[in-house]
Coordinates of all heavy atoms in Angstrom, one line a residue:
S44 N -128.2 267.3 157.6 CA -128.1 267.4 159.0 C -128.0 269.1 159.3 O -128.7 269.4 160.3 CB -126.9 266.7 159.7 OG -126.9 266.9 161.1
E45 N -127.1 269.7 158.7 CA -126.9 271.0 159.0 C -128.2 271.8 158.7 O -128.6 272.8 159.4 CB -125.7 271.7 158.1 CG -124.3 271.2 158.6 CD -123.3 271.6 157.6 OE1 -123.6 272.3 156.8 OE2 -122.1 271.1 157.8
L46 N -128.8 271.7 157.5 CA -130.0 272.3 157.1 C -131.1 272.1 157.9 O -131.9 273.0 158.3 CB -130.3 272.0 155.6 CG -129.3 272.5 154.5 CD1 -129.7 271.9 153.2 CD2 -129.4 273.9 154.3
E47 N -131.3 270.8 158.4 CA -132.3 270.5 159.3 C -132.3 271.2 160.6 O -133.2 271.7 161.3 CB -132.4 269.0 159.6 CG -133.0 268.1 158.5 CD -132.9 266.8 158.7 OE1 -132.1 266.2 159.4 OE2 -133.8 266.0 158.1
T48 N -131.0 271.4 161.1 CA -130.8 272.1 162.4 C -131.1 273.5 162.2 O -131.7 274.3 163.1 CB -129.2 272.1 162.7 OG1 -128.9 270.7 162.9 CG2 -128.9 272.8 163.9
K49 N -130.9 274.1 160.9 CA -131.1 275.6 160.7 C -132.6 275.8 160.8 O -133.3 276.8 161.2 CB -130.7 276.0 159.4 CG -129.1 276.3 159.4 CD -128.5 276.8 158.0 CE -127.0 277.1 158.1 NZ -126.5 277.6 156.8
V50 N -133.3 274.8 159.9 CA -134.9 275.0 159.9 C -135.4 274.8 161.4 O -136.4 275.6 161.6 CB -135.4 273.9 159.1 CG1 -136.9 273.7 159.2 CG2 -135.0 274.0 157.6
S51 N -134.9 274.0 162.3 CA -135.4 273.9 163.6 C -135.1 275.2 164.3 O -136.0 275.5 165.1 CB -134.8 272.7 164.3 OG -135.0 271.5 163.6
E52 N -134.2 275.7 164.2 CA -133.7 277.1 164.9 C -134.6 278.2 164.4 O -135.2 279.0 165.2 CB -132.2 277.5 164.5 CG -131.2 276.5 165.3 CD -129.9 276.9 164.8 OE1 -129.7 277.7 163.8 OE2 -128.8 276.3 165.4
F53 N -134.9 278.2 163.0 CA -135.9 279.2 162.6 C -137.3 279.0 163.2 O -138.0 279.9 163.7 CB -136.1 279.0 161.0 CG -135.0 279.8 160.3 CD1 -134.3 279.2 159.4 CD2 -134.9 281.2 160.5 CE1 -133.2 279.9 158.6 CE2 -133.8 281.9 159.8 CZ -133.1 281.2 158.8
E54 N -137.8 277.7 163.3 CA -139.1 277.3 163.7 C -139.3 277.7 165.3 O -140.3 278.1 165.7 CB -139.5 276.0 163.4 CG -139.8 275.7 161.9 CD -139.9 274.4 161.5 OE1 -139.6 273.4 162.3 OE2 -140.3 274.0 160.3
A55 N -138.0 277.5 166.0 CA -138.2 277.8 167.4 C -138.2 279.3 167.7 O -138.9 279.8 168.5 CB -136.8 277.3 167.9
Q56 N -137.5 280.1 166.7 CA -137.7 281.6 166.7 C -139.2 282.0 166.4 O -139.7 282.9 167.2 CB -136.8 282.3 165.7 CG -135.4 282.2 166.1 CD -134.5 282.9 164.9 OE1 -135.0 283.7 164.2 NE2 -133.2 282.4 165.0
F57 N -139.9 281.3 165.6 CA -141.1 281.7 165.2 C -142.1 281.5 166.4 O -143.3 282.2 166.3 CB -141.7 280.8 164.0 CG -140.9 281.1 162.8 CD1 -140.9 280.2 161.7 CD2 -140.0 282.2 162.5 CE1 -140.3 280.4 160.6 CE2 -139.3 282.4 161.4 CZ -139.4 281.5 160.4
T58 N -141.9 280.7 167.3 CA -142.9 280.4 168.4 C -142.7 281.6 169.4 O -143.6 281.8 170.3 CB -142.5 279.0 169.1 OG1 -141.2 279.1 169.6 CG2 -142.7 277.9 168.2
K59 N -141.5 282.3 169.4 CA -141.4 283.3 170.3 C -141.9 284.6 169.9 O -142.2 285.5 170.7 CB -139.8 283.4 170.8 CG -139.3 282.0 171.4 CD -137.9 282.1 171.7 CE -137.4 280.8 172.3 NZ -135.8 280.8 172.4
S60 N -141.6 284.9 168.5 CA -142.0 286.3 168.1 C -142.3 286.1 166.6 O -142.0 285.1 165.8 CB -140.9 287.2 168.2 OG -139.7 286.8 167.6
N61 N -143.0 287.2 165.9 CA -143.4 287.1 164.6 C -142.2 287.4 163.8 O -141.4 288.2 164.1 CB -144.3 288.1 164.2 CG -145.8 287.9 165.0 OD1 -146.1 286.6 164.9 ND2 -146.5 288.8 165.3
P62 N -141.9 286.5 162.8 CA -140.7 286.7 161.9 C -140.7 287.9 161.1 O -141.9 288.3 160.5 CB -140.5 285.3 161.1 CG -142.1 285.0 161.0 CD -142.6 285.4 162.3
S63 N -139.6 288.5 160.7 CA -139.6 289.5 159.7 C -139.6 288.9 158.3 O -139.3 287.7 158.1 CB -138.2 290.3 159.9 OG -137.2 289.5 159.6
D64 N -139.8 289.8 157.3 CA -139.9 289.3 155.9 C -138.6 288.7 155.5 O -138.5 287.8 154.8 CB -140.2 290.6 154.9 CG -141.7 291.0 155.2 OD1 -142.5 290.2 155.8 OD2 -142.0 292.1 154.8
E65 N -137.4 289.5 155.9 CA -136.1 288.8 155.6 C -135.9 287.4 156.3 O -135.3 286.5 155.6 CB -135.1 289.8 156.1 CG -133.7 289.4 155.8 CD -132.6 290.4 156.4 OE1 -133.0 291.4 156.9 OE2 -131.4 290.1 156.2
T66 N -136.4 287.2 157.4 CA -136.2 286.1 158.2 C -137.0 285.0 157.5 O -136.5 283.7 157.3 CB -136.6 286.1 159.7 OG1 -135.9 287.1 160.3 CG2 -136.3 284.8 160.3
L67 N -138.2 285.3 157.2 CA -139.2 284.3 156.4 C -138.4 283.9 155.1 O -138.5 282.8 154.6 CB -140.4 284.9 156.1 CG -141.5 284.8 157.3 CD1 -142.7 285.5 156.8 CD2 -141.9 283.3 157.4
E68 N -137.8 284.8 154.4 CA -137.1 284.6 153.1 C -136.0 283.6 153.3 O -135.8 282.7 152.5 CB -136.7 285.9 152.5 CG -136.1 285.7 151.1 CD -135.7 287.0 150.4 OE1 -136.0 288.1 151.0 OE2 -135.0 287.0 149.3
Q69 N -135.2 283.8 154.4 CA -134.0 282.9 154.7 C -134.6 281.5 155.1 O -134.0 280.5 154.6 CB -133.2 283.5 155.8 CG -132.5 284.7 155.4 CD -131.8 285.3 156.6 OE1 -132.1 285.0 157.8 NE2 -130.9 286.2 156.5
Y70 N -135.7 281.6 155.8 CA -136.4 280.2 156.2 C -136.8 279.5 154.9 O -136.5 278.3 154.7 CB -137.6 280.6 157.1 CG -138.4 279.3 157.5 CD1 -137.8 278.3 158.2 CD2 -139.5 279.1 156.9 CE1 -138.7 277.1 158.5 CE2 -140.5 278.0 157.2 CZ -139.9 276.9 158.0 OH -140.6 275.8 158.3
N71 N -137.5 280.2 154.0 CA -138.0 279.4 152.8 C -136.8 279.0 151.9 O -136.8 277.9 151.4 CB -138.9 280.3 152.0 CG -140.3 280.6 152.7 OD1 -140.7 279.7 153.5 ND2 -140.8 281.7 152.6
K72 N -135.8 279.8 151.9 CA -134.6 279.4 151.0 C -134.0 278.1 151.7 O -133.5 277.2 151.0 CB -133.6 280.6 151.0 CG -132.5 280.3 150.1 CD -131.6 281.5 149.9 CE -130.3 281.3 149.1 NZ -129.4 282.5 149.1
T73 N -133.8 278.2 153.0 CA -133.3 277.0 153.6 C -134.0 275.7 153.4 O -133.4 274.7 153.3 CB -133.1 277.2 155.2 OG1 -132.4 278.4 155.4 CG2 -132.3 276.0 155.9
K74 N -135.3 276.0 153.5 CA -136.3 274.8 153.2 C -136.1 274.2 151.8 O -136.1 273.0 151.6 CB -137.7 275.1 153.4 CG -138.1 275.4 154.8 CD -138.7 274.0 155.6 CE -140.0 273.7 155.1 NZ -140.6 272.6 155.6

């Protein structure tokens, strides 16, 4: 449940602005 919430938060950020390399790395690690 916690991880799914984090993934959703990352994806919500991606719709507003292009993610940085660090953010993409965190997103992939969370996935």
